[in-house]
Amino acid sequence: MSTTTATHHDDHAHDSHGHPTGLMRWVKSTNHKDIGTMYLWFSFAMFLFAGAMAMGIRAELFQPGLQFVQPETFNQLTTLHGLIMIFGAIMPAFVGFANWQVPLMIGAPDMAFPRLNNMSFWLLIPAAILLIASIFVPGGAVAGGWTMYPPLSVQGGMSVDMSVFALHILGVSSIVGSINIITTIFNMRAPGMTLMKMPMFVWTWLITAYLLIAAMPVLAGALTMLITDRHFGTHFFNAAGGGDPVLFQHVFWFFGHPEVYIMILPAFGILSTIIPTFARKPLFGYASMVYATAAIAVLSFVVWAHHMFTTGMPVAGQLFFMYSTMLISVPTGVKVFNWLATMWKGSMTFETPMLFSIAVVFLFTIGGFSGLVCAILPVDIQLQDTYYVVAHFHYVLFSGAAMAIMGGVYYWLPKWTGHMYDEKLGKWHFWLTTIAFNVTFFPMHFTGLAGMPRRIPDYSQQFAEFNMISSLGAFALGLSQLLFLYVVIKCIRGGEKATNQVWEGAHGLEWTVASPAPFHTFETPPQVK
Amino acid sequence: MNKKAIFFPSTVLAAVMSLVAGSAQAAYELNLKAPVTEIASQIYDLHMLIVYVCLAIFVVVFGFMFYSIYKHRKSVGHKAEQFHEHHTLEIIWTIIPALILAAMAVPATKTIFAMKDTTAADMTVKVTGHQWKWEYDYLDKDVKFISTLATSQDQIQNKAEKGENYLLEVDNPMVVPTGKKVRVLLTATDVIHAWWVPEFGVKQDAIPGFIKEVWFKAEKEGIYRGQCAELCGKDHGFMPIVVEAVSEDKYNEWIDAKKAAATAANAGADKEWTKDDLVANGKVVYEKNCAVCHQVTGAGLPPAFPAITGGKISTGPVADHLALVLNGKNMMPAWKALLNDVEIASVIAYERNALGNSVGDIVQPSAVKAAR
Ligand code: HEM
Ligand SMILES: [Cu+2]
Ligand SMILES: [Cu+2]
C-alpha cells in the first residue's frame, strides 16, 4: 500500500536502522502493520477466488439438470470453496486485524515476536499454492467435502495429500501466530492497562488464540492419521482393519466446533468495538461479555458431536450433546442482548461500519436460532446434511464473520490509510451485500426443510424455484464484492484526510496516534488511567 | 464453451419467467414434508414449537433494537446516556433463555428415547449403501435386490424432458406393509452413505464395517421418496431411496413375486449359454451397474475408473477378469454379493466382446457359480 510507504518516509526519526524498501520491505517485514496489511490482502484475494468457485456452484444449481460441470467437478468446487473460505479468507482476515490492531489497542510498539510474525504470514503462501495447484493434478482437487470424512477421502487422489499438507502448514502458521498474540497481550500492554481494562477486541482475540492452540493440533492429528491410512497401511479409520470411520468425525469435530468459534469470536470483538463508537456509549456489560466469551470458548469443546447426530450414537451420547449444544446458545444470547443494551438510549449514527454491525447482530441471530433448531436432535435428524445446515452456517459465517470483517475494514480503514473511504459507495456496498446475501441464503432454509440434501450437483424439480432465486442472489452478492474492492482501493489512493480521532465516539489508544498510523507507534508506552 | 455462453443468458431469461409464473409442481415448499409415522409427526411438532419460540424471542428482541434505532439516534437529537451495567437485567436475560431451553429439552428427550427403541419389530430389512445404489435384504424372507436410480442420463444431461419424479425414482423400490414396525439395519461396503426418508423421520448414516439400527412404522399407504444424505462421491446426488408402503396383502404378493423372479433368474445358471445371448444380456447388466464409473462407452474415467475398452483385465486372461468382478478391488465393488451367476457371466462376456473389445472367450454361468 503506497500510503504506508509514504508514511514511513515521513517518519525519519526511526529510519536510522534502515528497513528495506520495495519488494524486500514486504518479504522481510517484521512490522506488525505491514504484516497485517499482507494478511488482509491475502485474505481478500482468497475471498474472491473461493467466491468465484461459489459462482460456479450456483451456476450449476441455477436449474435442475447438469449444465456446466459434471458431478466430480462440482464436488471439487464445494470442497475447495469451503476449505479456502475458512482457512484462506476468514481466518487470515482476523489475524490481519489482530496484527494491525492488537499492538495499537494495547499501546505496544509491535508484536512480541516480529520474526515469527513474518513466518506466520509467509507460511500461508505455500499452503495456498498447494491448495490451488491441487486442482491441476490427475484426478482433480479434493472432492470429499471440507470435512474430508474417510473412507471417501481415502479414495481420493494425490490432491488429498496436497490439501492435508496445506492444512498442516496453515496449522503451524496459526499456532505460531497465536503464541505471538498471547505473548504480546500478556507482556506488552501499556502501563495501567489491566486485563479487565483491555478493549473487547483484544479479549476476544486472546481467547481465540487459546482456542487455536488447543484445536489446530487436533486437526493435525486427524489429518495425519488420514495420511497414514492412505499410504502407510494403518487402519485408524478402516473397520476391516479394526478401525472406525466415525473416529475421524469425532476427532475432526473436536477441532471443528471450536474452529467455528475461532471464526466468530474476533467478529464479536469487532462488533463490540464498533457499536459503542456509533452509539456514543460505553459497551454494556463489559465484564459479562468477557465471561460469556470465555464460557463459549470452554463449552465449544464439549458440543462437537452435534455434527454427528445421524451417525447413530448411543442415547446417552445423543442427550449429552443435545443439552450441551442448547446450553452454548445462552452465552451467545447474552452477547446479543449486551449489544442491544449498548445501542439503547445511545446517540446513534449510521456510518457504514455501524450499518454492517447492526446487520450482523440481526442476521447472526437468525443463524443462532437456526443453530438452536439444529441442536434439537430429533429435528436435526431431518435437517442434517440438508440445505438448512448450509443456510445456518452461512448466516453465522457470512453475515456473522465475513460481514463483521467488512464492517471492521470500513471502521479502521481511515486509521490505516489516512483517508476517509467514500461513505456513499460504502453504503451501497452494504445494502447490496445485505440484500443479496438474504436473497441467496434465506430460501435455503426452505429447500432444506423440504428435503434437499447438500453437496448435490442436481436436484428434483420441486426445488427449482428457490434454487434459482438463490443463484440470482449469489451472482449479485459476488458482484457486490467487487465494489468493496473498488472502495478500498479508492480509499488507499486518496480521499478526505482522516483526523486522528476519525470517529466522534471512538475510544482507545489507536485513536491517539496519527492517521495513517505511523510505521512505528508507541515506542514509549502510553500511560493508561 | 461458446455454446454455453449463448445458452446461459437465454435460459436465465426463460427460467426467470417461469419463476414468476410459477409451475405445476409442488413448488415453494416451505416446511418439513407431511409426516406419515408417529416419530416424524413428533419431529414436525418439535420443529414448529422451536420455530415459534425463536420467532417470539426474535420479535421481542429486535422490536427493542428497531425501536432504539428509531428513537435513540443523533439525528433526532437524542443524547447518549452513559450507563453500562445492570446486574439484575443481566441475570434475568441469562436465566430466562436457559429456562426456555430446559423446557424445550423435555419433549425432545422423549422423542429421542422413542426413536432409539428398536425392540419388538415386526420385520427386519438390512439396507446396504454402495457407491451409488442401495441394496435391500429382507432378512426373514430371503428376498434381496439392488435399487438404482431410474432417471435416464438424457434427462440429467438436458437432452430429454424431465419426468415428474426426476432423480427421485428407482427401478426396484423397497416395499413395506403399513402398520408394521420395520427395523432397518444399516451398513455400507465402501464409504459412508446416509439412508433418509423424510416422511418417516428416519435418517441414519450407513457406515462400512458397522451395523446401525433404526425403525419406522408407516401409518399411511403411499410412495415415499428420499435421497442419500452423506456425501459419498461422484454420484451422491443420484442414489435416491423409494419406499412403497402398501397393505399387508399387497406386501405378501410382492414378496412372492420377488421370490419367483429370483428363482427364474437362477434357473438360467445351470444351462449352457451362447456367446451372443450372454453379450446381449450383458449390455443391460453393464449399463445398469457398471456404466456409472466405466461409462457407457467403456472409456472409463481414468485415473479413478479405468477404461474397459482395451483394458488390461478385460482383454487379459478370463480367469483374472472373473476374479476381479467377483471380488472387487479398491473402489471396484465385489459384485458376487450383488449380481447372480447369469448376470456376472453376461457382463464379462459383454466387456470382452463389445465396447470395442473382441477377445472372443466367455465364462459360463455355471463356471461363475463354481468360482464363488
Ligand atoms: C447458538 C449457537 C449455535 C448453535 C446452537 C449451533 C448448532 C449447530 C448444529 C447443531 C450444527 C449441526 C447441524 C447439522 O450438521 O445437522 C451446526 C453446524 C454448523 N455450525 Fe453451528 N451453531 C451455533 C453457532 C454457530 C456459529 C457461531 C458458527 C460459526 C461462526 C457456526 C458454524 C457452523 C458450521 C460451519 C456448521 C456446519 C459444518 C458442516 O457440516 O459443514 N455455528 N451448528
Ligand atoms: Cu458445531
Ligand atoms: Cu451419498
Side-chain angles (χ1 to χ4, degrees):
Chain A
M1 292 202 309
S2 54
T3 45
T4 2
T5 322
T7 349
H8 120 95
H9 283 300
D10 296 342
D11 206 16
H12 293 297
H14 308 295
D15 269 2
S16 46
H17 47 275
H19 23 247
T21 51
L23 186 62
M24 275 304 147
R25 165 182 173 186
W26 302 101
V27 174
K28 291 162 70 174
S29 178
T30 53
N31 179 288
H32 73 102
K33 301 186 185 83
D34 279 1
I35 294 176
T37 303
M38 288 196 288
Y39 262 108
L40 288 167
W41 276 116
F42 174 85
S43 146
F44 195 70
M46 290 296 122
F47 179 64
L48 291 184
F49 183 78
M53 297 189 143
M55 299 298 106
I57 294 170
R58 285 316 321 174
E60 181 51 57
L61 292 175
F62 186 69
Q63 281 187 299
L66 297 178
Q67 285 86 18
F68 298 96
V69 292
Q70 291 302 309
E72 189 60 20
T73 317
F74 183 88
N75 291 343
Q76 296 175 16
L77 285 175
T78 52
T79 305
L80 271 190
H81 165 74
L83 281 175
I84 296 182
M85 278 296 185
I86 291 172
F87 293 99
I90 304 271
M91 292 170 70
F94 284 131
V95 184
F97 277 102
N99 259 291
W100 256 103
Q101 292 310 129
V102 168
L104 282 181
M105 288 174 135
I106 64 174
D110 206 308
M111 298 292 280
F113 306 116
R115 288 199 175 77
L116 278 187
N117 202 12
N118 172 291
M119 181 180 104
S120 306
F121 172 77
W122 284 105
L123 281 175
L124 298 183
I125 305 296
I129 291 173
L130 273 171
L131 274 178
I132 293 170
S134 76
I135 300 170
F136 305 103
V137 300
V142 266
W146 81 276
T147 49
M148 297 201 273
Y149 286 0
L152 187 61
S153 54
V154 175
Q155 283 182 351
M158 75 185 274
S159 57
V160 176
D161 306 316
M162 294 170 75
S163 306
V164 165
F165 191 43
L167 291 178
H168 276 145
I169 298 176
L170 291 169
V172 173
S173 159
S174 290
I175 292 169
V176 171
S178 300
I179 292 172
N180 208 344
I181 289 170
I182 292 173
T183 315
T184 309
I185 295 174
F186 278 136
N187 293 316
M188 298 176 67
R189 293 192 313 279
M193 182 176 281
T194 60
L195 283 178
M196 288 311 271
K197 276 191 192 157
M198 286 198 311
M200 200 60 206
F201 178 76
V202 180
W203 255 116
T204 54
W205 241 115
L206 179 63
I207 292 169
T208 302
Y210 275 106
L211 282 181
L212 276 166
I213 290 179
M216 295 309 284
V218 179
L219 173 67
L223 294 175
T224 306
M225 288 192 271
L226 193 64
I227 286 291
T228 61
D229 266 15
R230 280 170 60 80
H231 296 297
F232 306 116
T234 57
H235 296 115
F236 293 111
F237 309 129
N238 180 355
D244 180 353
V246 179
L247 170 66
F248 178 89
Q249 300 184 21
H250 280 293
V251 183
F252 181 88
W253 287 114
F254 189 88
F255 144 81
H257 192 84
E259 167 68 15
V260 308
Y261 283 97
I262 288 166
M263 293 188 284
I264 201 66
L265 294 185
F268 289 175
I270 292 176
L271 295 190
S272 305
T273 313
I274 295 177
I275 293 175
T277 298
F278 295 98
R280 291 167 181 76
K281 225 179 122 233
L283 181 64
F284 185 89
Y286 174 92
S288 69
M289 282 286 226
V290 171
Y291 301 139
T293 312
I296 290 175
V298 172
L299 280 177
S300 76
F301 282 102
V302 294
V303 298
W304 75 88
H306 64 215
H307 297 274
M308 304 165 56
F309 282 156
T310 60
T311 53
M313 277 179 288
V315 177
Q318 295 199 330
L319 289 178
F320 174 82
F321 287 106
M322 176 173 81
Y323 299 151
S324 62
T325 305
M326 291 169 83
L327 196 61
I328 204 170
S329 46
V330 174
T332 314
V334 167
K335 304 212 115 196
V336 172
F337 297 141
N338 280 340
W339 292 319
L340 297 189
T342 306
M343 294 183 206
W344 191 255
K345 303 227 158 139
S347 175
M348 280 189 269
T349 51
F350 303 95
E351 290 84 347
T352 309
M354 183 62 165
L355 288 177
F356 270 103
S357 301
I358 292 173
V360 170
V361 173
F362 186 79
L363 297 173
F364 173 82
T365 304
I366 296 181
F369 280 137
S370 61
L372 197 52
V373 173
C374 288
I376 311 292
L377 187 143
V379 179
D380 189 58
I381 294 291
Q382 295 285 38
L383 301 178
Q384 166 94 84
D385 266 303
T386 67
Y387 261 83
Y388 194 90
V389 175
V390 178
H392 161 65
F393 66 72
H394 283 91
Y395 268 82
V396 286
L397 285 176
F398 192 99
S399 65
M403 283 174 61
I405 291 170
M406 292 171 192
V409 167
Y410 284 109
Y411 184 65
W412 280 301
L413 206 49
K415 179 56 65 188
W416 298 339
T417 65
H419 304 129
M420 298 306 286
Y421 59 86
D422 185 329
E423 189 62 58
K424 204 163 144 213
L425 287 182
K427 286 193 171 136
W428 267 100
H429 171 230
F430 166 76
W431 285 108
L432 286 172
T433 301
T434 304
I435 293 168
F437 167 79
N438 283 288
V439 173
T440 309
F441 292 103
F442 205 80
M444 292 183 187
H445 293 109
F446 301 133
T447 47
L449 282 167
M452 180 167 161
R454 68 192 276 205
R455 297 170 164 165
I456 55 172
D458 192 8
Y459 47 85
S460 60
Q461 307 211 60
Q462 58 187 314
F463 305 122
E465 285 78 5
F466 278 135
N467 270 285
M468 191 172 292
I469 295 173
S470 280
S471 287
L472 292 171
F475 301 143
L477 185 58
L479 283 177
S480 313
Q481 303 322 308
L482 298 178
L483 179 59
F484 184 34
L485 178 63
Y486 175 75
V487 177
V488 171
I489 291 179
K490 190 168 168 221
C491 177
I492 292 169
R493 292 262 175 92
E496 190 195 326
K497 184 96 189 62
T499 59
N500 295 359
Q501 173 66 23
V502 182
W503 309 111
E504 185 190 30
H507 289 282
L509 292 173
E510 77 257 49
W511 309 109
T512 62
V513 303
S515 300
F519 200 63
H520 295 290
T521 37
F522 298 126
E523 286 186 294
T524 36
Q527 191 71 36
V528 178
K529 296 176 292 315
Chain B
M1 199 59 228
N2 218 346
K3 211 173 108 206
K4 277 180 188 160
I6 303 166
F7 157 86
F8 195 58
S10 58
T11 30
V12 170
L13 208 78
V16 174
M17 309 251 292
S18 75
L19 195 73
V20 178
S23 80
Q25 299 277 330
Y28 295 117
E29 205 61 72
L30 300 180
N31 204 345
L32 292 168
K33 295 230 170 80
V36 298
T37 65
E38 173 57 29
I39 295 290
S41 32
Q42 286 184 21
I43 293 178
Y44 193 94
D45 296 342
L46 275 173
H47 174 251
M48 292 324 294
L49 180 63
I50 185 84
V51 167
Y52 286 132
V53 168
C54 290
L55 267 178
I57 301 176
F58 195 81
V59 169
V60 173
V61 169
F62 289 99
F64 275 99
M65 185 177 91
F66 284 111
Y67 175 84
S68 175
I69 287 177
Y70 184 67
K71 287 280 187 184
H72 308 148
R73 46 164 89 208
K74 198 180 174 191
S75 58
V76 297
H78 194 273
K79 291 271 173 303
E81 294 182 14
Q82 293 301 310
F83 65 86
H84 56 86
E85 248 174 4
H86 193 297
H87 289 298
T88 327
L89 200 59
E90 289 172 61
I91 289 169
I92 289 176
W93 71 39
T94 312
I95 301 284
I96 291 189
L99 291 179
I100 294 176
L101 289 178
M104 271 308 302
V106 175
T109 304
K110 281 193 191 133
T111 303
I112 293 177
F113 277 103
M115 291 171 106
K116 282 286 185 180
D117 179 16
T118 50
T119 56
D122 297 309
M123 56 185 276
T124 301
V125 182
K126 179 170 162 236
V127 180
T128 309
H130 304 279
Q131 281 173 318
W132 294 281
K133 49 184 150 294
W134 293 99
E135 178 190 350
Y136 295 91
D137 188 350
Y138 286 63
L139 291 180
D140 25 22
K141 296 281 192 228
D142 207 21
V143 165
K144 188 170 154 179
F145 57 89
I146 304 262
S147 175
T148 49
L149 178 71
T151 305
S152 70
Q153 271 301 316
D154 280 355
Q155 288 186 30
I156 295 170
Q157 302 291 350
N158 310 307
K159 290 181 196 132
E161 188 74 21
K162 295 183 177 34
E164 188 190 348
N165 294 310
Y166 178 68
L167 296 187
L168 296 179
E169 49 198 350
V170 296
D171 52 357
N172 290 312
M174 176 188 192
V175 176
V176 295
T178 51
K180 295 273 184 232
K181 183 164 180 177
V182 182
R183 186 168 68 129
V184 180
L185 301 181
L186 272 153
T187 187
T189 50
D190 33 42
V191 301
I192 303 174
H193 305 264
W195 194 80
W196 178 30
V197 182
E199 285 96 336
F200 295 172
V202 168
K203 184 188 287 152
Q204 171 60 54
D205 290 358
I207 302 163
F210 291 82
I211 291 186
K212 301 282 178 177
E213 292 180 300
V214 280
W215 70 275
F216 65 86
K217 190 199 267 180
E219 310 282 2
K220 219 173 88 195
E221 289 185 22
I223 301 180
Y224 305 110
R225 298 168 198 277
Q227 283 179 272
C228 176
E230 180 64 59
L231 179 61
C232 56
K234 178 169 85 69
D235 282 350
H236 164 55
F238 304 93
M239 51 182 291
I241 293 133
V242 179
V243 182
E244 265 184 69
V246 297
S247 68
E248 183 147 22
D249 290 344
K250 281 233 188 81
Y251 168 71
N252 288 329
E253 277 170 31
W254 174 80
I255 288 281
D256 292 341
K258 275 281 173 199
K259 280 187 171 155
T263 320
N266 280 334
D270 297 321
K271 87 172 204 230
E272 189 78 10
W273 285 63
T274 68
K275 186 168 111 188
D276 289 347
D277 285 349
L278 281 179
V279 171
N281 195 30
K283 183 171 160 60
V284 182
V285 181
Y286 179 86
E287 284 171 6
K288 183 169 167 228
N289 296 290
C290 320
V292 272
C293 298
H294 297 292
Q295 307 298 298
V296 190
T297 58
L301 287 172
F305 308 117
I308 301 298
T309 311
K312 217 164 60 215
I313 300 283
S314 41
T315 57
V318 72
D320 295 350
H321 195 163
L322 178 59
L324 180 75
V325 174
L326 282 176
N327 302 317
K329 187 184 162 197
N330 299 331
M331 287 186 72
M332 167 89 169
W335 291 97
K336 67 179 168 199
L338 305 174
L339 298 177
N340 65 33
D341 301 333
V342 177
E343 287 168 325
I344 290 183
S346 308
V347 81
I348 290 177
Y350 181 70
E351 289 184 338
R352 301 177 76 78
N353 301 296
L355 298 172
N357 295 336
S358 48
V359 187
D361 54 358
I362 56 170
V363 275
Q364 285 295 337
S366 52
V368 177
K369 199 173 189 175
R372 274 182 193 265

